[in-house]
Amino acid sequence: MAGRGVWSRKLLGGLMLVFLLGCAGVAWRERSTLLSWFYIHNLTRAPQDNRERWVSRVANLGETAIPGLFDCLGQSDSRVCDNARAALERMTQEWGSDHAPTVDLALRLAREFARFSPAGQRQALQLAAGWFTEPSGDVRSLVSPCSRLVGEAAGTTDAEVQTSALELCGILLSRPDSSEVLRRPGQDLIRAALHDNTVDNRLRAIRLTLHPDMADLLEQVVALLSDESPL
């Protein structure tokens, strides 16, 4: 009987330990959620010349902060979107361009691009362009997800978003490893930009058709040149 009593106390103690560990895990997750909300809330309100502290704090949260930052990219306030981009940029600088979290972020940007506001879409495209112009590692693994991002931007009607998308497309076209993955999304974007209301975007699109992978669009350029409307 005494042995059974000891065994019961040990079992009860073990169950209590599991329960306490579970509670500690929940409390830690709740703490991370609250910190994420608090830091991002302050980041959204910070002026550009005084946001560094909040950019660093949000970036230190890592992937936990990404859903909240994506919500920021859905807002119409350009300052909020710019601050969110700054935090995402800091994260990827610390991770490195060739690390899995950065590649996963690029894929998530492409998947959720449609729900971002025009201001958020511009920041997402400029963030991606920065990975190639100021790389923090081997960027080959980013070519495919960023090509998908170009394709997602093809349906935009916002001229400034289209400008950022064309700039990213041009950066990717300059890379020899982009031919296969960029051809279709790049052509979709350029085809749309050839009929954009802004002359500058139409001219950018025409220049990009000179790339061998975009040569299929030259007939549309010829038709555009014969149009009576100015380029």
Side-chain angles (χ1 to χ4, degrees):
M1 293 293 292
R4 291 173 61 184
V6 171
W7 183 87
S8 297
R9 286 194 295 273
K10 287 183 177 180
L11 177 61
L12 180 61
L15 291 173
M16 286 295 296
L17 179 61
V18 170
F19 174 75
L20 291 173
L21 288 174
C23 289
V26 170
W28 180 259
R29 287 194 296 271
E30 289 297 322
R31 174 183 178 276
S32 298
T33 301
L34 288 172
L35 276 179
S36 180
W37 177 86
F38 179 71
Y39 290 166
I40 291 174
H41 175 72
N42 283 281
L43 175 65
T44 61
R45 302 173 62 185
Q48 187 171 15
D49 59 354
N50 192 33
R51 69 183 182 186
E52 179 61 28
R53 175 176 59 170
W54 299 111
V55 166
S56 297
R57 289 182 176 181
V58 172
N60 286 338
L61 293 173
E63 295 176 81
T64 302
I66 290 178
L69 292 172
F70 276 25
D71 288 340
C72 291
L73 293 177
Q75 297 187 33
S76 59
D77 189 323
S78 59
R79 183 181 68 179
V80 171
C81 295
D82 182 54
N83 287 354
R85 192 279 293 269
L88 291 169
E89 189 172 61
R90 180 68 57 81
M91 282 183 196
T92 58
Q93 287 172 347
E94 293 176 357
W95 292 336
S97 302
D98 53 347
H99 285 204
T102 303
V103 178
D104 182 63
L105 174 60
L107 289 168
R108 292 171 70 174
L109 285 172
R111 285 196 301 267
E112 302 196 38
F113 186 81
R115 79 175 179 95
F116 300 154
S117 68
Q121 290 177 342
R122 290 197 301 273
Q123 295 297 338
L125 290 162
Q126 290 167 15
L127 172 65
W131 292 333
F132 295 93
T133 56
E134 298 179 10
S136 56
D138 189 341
V139 294
R140 285 177 294 179
S141 56
L142 289 171
V143 171
S144 179
C146 288
S147 296
R148 289 180 57 182
L149 191 58
V150 167
E152 291 297 322
T156 184
T157 57
D158 185 277
E160 292 184 349
V161 174
Q162 198 166 75
T163 298
S164 296
L166 289 167
E167 289 174 352
L168 176 58
C169 185
I171 290 170
L172 292 171
L173 282 172
S174 68
R175 298 183 55 84
D177 54 358
S178 69
S179 297
E180 292 301 321
V181 294
L182 183 63
R183 182 175 289 112
R184 182 169 180 176
Q187 288 184 356
D188 288 344
L189 173 67
I190 293 169
R191 188 179 294 109
L194 287 172
H195 302 282
D196 188 63
N197 291 328
T198 62
V199 173
D200 286 346
N201 279 345
R202 294 203 296 273
L203 289 173
R204 287 187 181 94
I206 289 172
R207 285 194 290 270
L208 292 179
T209 63
L210 300 177
H211 191 279
D213 290 330
M214 302 294 122
D216 294 345
L217 300 174
L218 287 175
E219 289 185 7
Q220 294 189 33
V221 174
V222 172
L224 182 65
L225 291 173
S226 64
D227 194 328
E228 294 182 357
S229 62
L231 285 177

